[in-house]
Amino acid sequence: MNSEKLLHLFENREGEYVSGETISQELNVSRTAVWKHIRKLESLGFRFDASRKLGYKLVFKPDRLSEAELSDRLRTERFGRTLRLLDEVDSTQNVARKLAEDGAPEGTLVVAELQTQGKGRMGRSWISPYGKGIWMSMVLRPQVPIHFAPQLTLLTAVALCRSLMRVTGLTIGIKWPNDLQIEGKKISGILLESTAEDERLRYVIAGVGISANLEEDDYTPEVSDKATSLRIAAGKPFDRTQIIADFMLEWEQLFNVYQSGGFDAIIPLWEALSVSLHKPAVLLTPQGVIEGTPVGLDASGAIIVEKASGERAVVFSADMGEPST
Amino acid sequence: MNSEKLLHLFENREGEYVSGETISQELNVSRTAVWKHIRKLESLGFRFDASRKLGYKLVFKPDRLSEAELSDRLRTERFGRTLRLLDEVDSTQNVARKLAEDGAPEGTLVVAELQTQGKGRMGRSWISPYGKGIWMSMVLRPQVPIHFAPQLTLLTAVALCRSLMRVTGLTIGIKWPNDLQIEGKKISGILLESTAEDERLRYVIAGVGISANLEEDDYTPEVSDKATSLRIAAGKPFDRTQIIADFMLEWEQLFNVYQSGGFDAIIPLWEALSVSLHKPAVLLTPQGVIEGTPVGLDASGAIIVEKASGERAVVFSADMGEPST
């Protein structure tokens, strides 16, 4: 038995109590197994009323995405058109990478309700509770040399930021290179994993995590200083299907612009949304600390930093912070 | 049983015939299994004399690398110091990638006597018969952004070319970007597979195939127009252990120079060995055909091509050919 069958049983008896005995008989499993699956569903956000006499009643179902509904609302040609909607995965990146190795077409999208080992940048973990966020990975097969892979990260941040602002009405900014923030708190992370042979990109797995409908108590106090969700910021939950469908369309359109016209068209869009430009910053690079004011992106996607001396540095990779005052 | 045990049995009875009956008893396998393993060893280049009365005698052993001997002759600090010497693999790239994912240190080297699915550039296959070539892959963990991955391909070609010329005394040139040639015929191929998270390289698997001791009849007539071996070119076989040990040292030294001083130090070395500069060429790029004269590398490792108009193009990725006359 899996928890899915138990859930269907409750969904067919909406509002009713079902005795453990009945469940055990209908699904042909032990009472202990029934109890374990109830606990499992509770851990995913389902809530049950348990009565010694009457049995269990399903009283709350978390929001769940539907493959049919999402497919129906997509307005894209390729992005999301091959779709894997999964309940629980270790990491959508791993699932998408396997699909890519097996030849999945560009635009193949993996979305999961729950990640047990969500991946953030540099091996950091990522909070991804059931049914509240959008945890997804997409297969890209861009026809560009490996040099340009970082441009795709910036492009993805632009597409996500534009579509989220449109859907939510919130003001969202991009912290270099690719964190989305509302009033300094992170609401989304992007991680692109690239695989290349010599200078040719074989594929890119673009991982996007959106803290859509997470609530205050999903965050530890420590994390809530640095992270928030669309729901917390707006004071209301959002339709995750709409968020995904809108993002897919924006992303595909920008990707097409990029493939035909190059990165030049993306630079001003990124710069317009960035919250990292024109104010003093400290950049921790693998080669050492750079202090200065980021002034824009160069043609390759690196950030241009103007130092106090007037000298300009081009930074490919760094953690960016504010100078201590 | 594996073929290895059968081989040891013959090696302990050098020059003697051993009856199928004896082998079958000593190794506790059927006569049919013995016959199958003899055939397997023959396919790897071993030769047996078979007599109905006396049994089998091992009459020819192909050259085999020894882990102990190779380790002993290495003069490196890291390159090759973690060593996996395998008899038969699908592809050394696959073995090395798994090791890298499991955290293998930089310099981990995989060498195989035989590849059943040797990988060339762009999915092309690669002839890699038993015991005659050097088929290897190494784990690199360079501290450079993904932009610079193609520089490592050029660096590897320089290290291999310099070390092979020193060991063999032959004149060897580099065809852009990374084929090694003797008088226009390919003797070595290099394939670097990179894996990155955003702009950070996680690891690079550097695959190197060297047609060391292949003989005329290892090549089909079609291939022998375009490829040769060190043995054919020099008229004598070479010590593969020495080739590997010398390459490891040259490669490690160049890699150290690169890590501390950047690509600038590598450019003149590559240009000095290149056979692709200063003569007309046709480059088939993903963006179209470029005709012109390659004049050198730019700071990122791309090739600079001067067109008839005097205009210069910078090419990251292409197949290079000669103009038809």
Side-chain angles (χ1 to χ4, degrees), chain A residues 113-162:
Chain A
E113 292 289 10
L114 175 77
Q115 292 189 107
T116 53
Q117 293 171 45
K119 278 170 128 181
R121 293 184 77 202
M122 292 175 268
R124 291 167 193 154
S125 65
W126 178 261
I127 299 173
S128 21
Y130 190 91
K132 293 185 169 181
I134 297 171
W135 326 121
M136 63 185 186
S137 296
M138 196 163 65
V139 178
L140 296 171
R141 298 185 181 278
Q143 299 295 311
V144 298
I146 189 175
H147 301 68
F148 299 138
Q151 299 177 346
L152 294 166
T153 306
L154 301 166
L155 181 158
T156 303
V158 170
L160 183 59
C161 190
R162 285 164 63 99

Side-chain angles (χ1 to χ4, degrees), chain A residues 90-225:
Chain A
D90 54 351
S91 146
T92 55
Q93 290 293 91
N94 293 346
V95 177
R97 190 183 311 104
K98 283 197 194 94
L99 293 173
E101 285 287 349
D102 292 345
E106 179 159 275
T108 297
L109 177 67
V110 177
V111 188
E113 292 289 10
L114 175 77
Q115 292 189 107
T116 53
Q117 293 171 45
K119 278 170 128 181
R121 293 184 77 202
M122 292 175 268
R124 291 167 193 154
S125 65
W126 178 261
I127 299 173
S128 21
Y130 190 91
K132 293 185 169 181
I134 297 171
W135 326 121
M136 63 185 186
S137 296
M138 196 163 65
V139 178
L140 296 171
R141 298 185 181 278
Q143 299 295 311
V144 298
I146 189 175
H147 301 68
F148 299 138
Q151 299 177 346
L152 294 166
T153 306
L154 301 166
L155 181 158
T156 303
V158 170
L160 183 59
C161 190
R162 285 164 63 99
S163 66
L164 286 181
M165 287 203 290
R166 193 163 50 228
V167 171
T168 65
L170 294 163
T171 300
I172 306 174
I174 304 172
K175 185 189 167 203
W176 183 81
N178 57 5
D179 276 355
L180 263 54
Q181 294 188 337
I182 296 177
E183 294 176 358
K185 290 185 176 184
K186 180 164 172 167
I187 54 116
S188 175
I190 294 169
L191 176 76
L192 265 66
E193 295 185 290
S194 306
T195 300
E197 282 185 13
D198 288 342
E199 72 292 344
R200 290 165 208 260
L201 276 176
R202 282 184 55 223
Y203 58 80
V204 173
I205 307 298
V208 176
I210 308 168
S211 299
N213 292 332
L214 276 74
E215 295 169 276
E216 297 282 5
D217 59 8
D218 288 315
Y219 297 98
T220 61
E222 194 185 48
V223 172
S224 70
D225 283 349

Side-chain angles (χ1 to χ4, degrees), chain A residues 97 101 119-123 143-150 153 177-178 190-202 284 286-287 300-302 316-319, chain B residues 97 101 119-123 143-150 153 177-178 190-202 284 286-287 300-302 316-319:
Chain A
R97 190 183 311 104
E101 285 287 349
K119 278 170 128 181
R121 293 184 77 202
M122 292 175 268
Q143 299 295 311
V144 298
I146 189 175
H147 301 68
F148 299 138
T153 306
N178 57 5
I190 294 169
L191 176 76
L192 265 66
E193 295 185 290
S194 306
T195 300
E197 282 185 13
D198 288 342
E199 72 292 344
R200 290 165 208 260
L201 276 176
R202 282 184 55 223
L284 309 177
Q287 288 75 42
S300 76
F316 292 100
S317 174
D319 267 348
Chain B
R97 190 183 311 103
E101 285 287 349
K119 278 170 129 180
R121 293 185 78 202
M122 292 175 268
Q143 299 294 312
V144 299
I146 189 175
H147 302 68
F148 299 139
T153 305
N178 56 6
I190 295 170
L191 176 75
L192 265 66
E193 296 184 290
S194 305
T195 300
E197 282 186 13
D198 287 343
E199 72 292 346
R200 290 164 208 261
L201 276 177
R202 283 183 56 224
L284 309 177
Q287 288 75 41
S300 75
F316 292 100
S317 174
D319 266 347

Side-chain angles (χ1 to χ4, degrees), chain B residues 9-293:
Chain B
L9 187 146
F10 279 109
E11 283 171 344
N12 290 333
R13 288 173 166 80
E14 219 183 304
E16 293 175 27
Y17 280 94
V18 191
S19 74
E21 183 63 27
T22 308
I23 301 170
S24 161
Q25 279 175 5
E26 288 210 10
L27 300 179
N28 196 25
V29 294
S30 72
R31 296 285 295 268
T32 311
V34 171
W35 180 81
K36 281 188 184 159
H37 282 284
I38 294 276
R39 296 302 297 263
K40 165 84 181 178
L41 287 169
E42 284 180 339
S43 77
L44 299 180
F46 293 85
R47 293 284 168 264
F48 294 90
D49 215 45
S51 147
R52 191 184 294 247
K53 248 170 71 183
L54 302 169
Y56 302 96
K57 183 168 77 168
L58 177 60
V59 293
F60 177 77
K61 289 191 288 185
D63 184 21
R64 297 179 96 199
L65 295 165
S66 138
E67 206 162 298
E69 192 188 346
L70 179 51
S71 292
D72 189 55
R73 284 166 68 181
L74 285 177
R75 292 289 168 268
T76 53
E77 282 184 8
R78 292 166 297 137
F79 281 30
R81 284 303 177 180
T82 303
L83 181 62
R84 287 283 175 92
L85 185 55
L86 301 164
D87 224 43
E88 179 180 331
V89 293
D90 53 350
S91 145
T92 55
Q93 290 294 90
N94 292 347
V95 176
R97 190 183 311 103
K98 283 197 194 92
L99 293 173
E101 285 287 349
D102 292 344
E106 180 160 275
T108 297
L109 178 66
V110 177
V111 188
E113 291 289 9
L114 175 78
Q115 291 190 107
T116 53
Q117 293 169 45
K119 278 170 129 180
R121 293 185 78 202
M122 292 175 268
R124 290 167 192 153
S125 64
W126 178 262
I127 299 173
S128 22
Y130 191 91
K132 294 186 169 182
I134 298 171
W135 326 122
M136 62 183 186
S137 296
M138 196 163 65
V139 177
L140 295 171
R141 298 186 180 278
Q143 299 294 312
V144 299
I146 189 175
H147 302 68
F148 299 139
Q151 299 176 346
L152 294 166
T153 305
L154 300 166
L155 182 158
T156 303
V158 169
L160 184 59
C161 189
R162 286 165 63 99
S163 66
L164 285 181
M165 287 203 290
R166 193 164 51 229
V167 171
T168 66
L170 294 163
T171 299
I172 305 173
I174 304 173
K175 184 189 167 202
W176 182 81
N178 56 6
D179 277 355
L180 263 55
Q181 294 188 336
I182 296 177
E183 294 175 359
K185 292 186 176 183
K186 181 163 171 167
I187 54 117
S188 174
I190 295 170
L191 176 75
L192 265 66
E193 296 184 290
S194 305
T195 300
E197 282 186 13
D198 287 343
E199 72 292 346
R200 290 164 208 261
L201 276 177
R202 283 183 56 224
Y203 59 81
V204 173
I205 307 297
V208 176
I210 308 168
S211 299
N213 292 331
L214 276 74
E215 295 168 275
E216 297 281 5
D217 59 9
D218 289 316
Y219 297 98
T220 62
E222 193 184 50
V223 172
S224 71
D225 283 348
K226 294 178 290 187
T228 188
S229 74
L230 299 173
R231 178 184 195 150
I232 295 169
K236 63 175 185 184
F238 291 97
D239 177 357
R240 294 182 301 151
T241 304
Q242 190 192 345
I243 290 176
I244 298 173
D246 211 78
F247 172 40
M248 287 295 123
L249 184 59
E250 183 77 32
W251 201 6
E252 181 175 281
Q253 288 173 342
L254 269 194
F255 189 76
N256 289 344
V257 166
Y258 172 73
Q259 287 278 57
S260 59
F263 192 57
D264 285 355
I266 309 301
I267 293 175
L269 300 179
W270 187 93
E271 289 179 347
L273 295 170
S274 169
V275 295
S276 303
L277 299 181
H278 312 303
K279 51 190 186 192
V282 178
L283 291 93
L284 309 177
T285 81
Q287 288 75 41
V289 174
I290 294 177
E291 288 191 61
T293 303

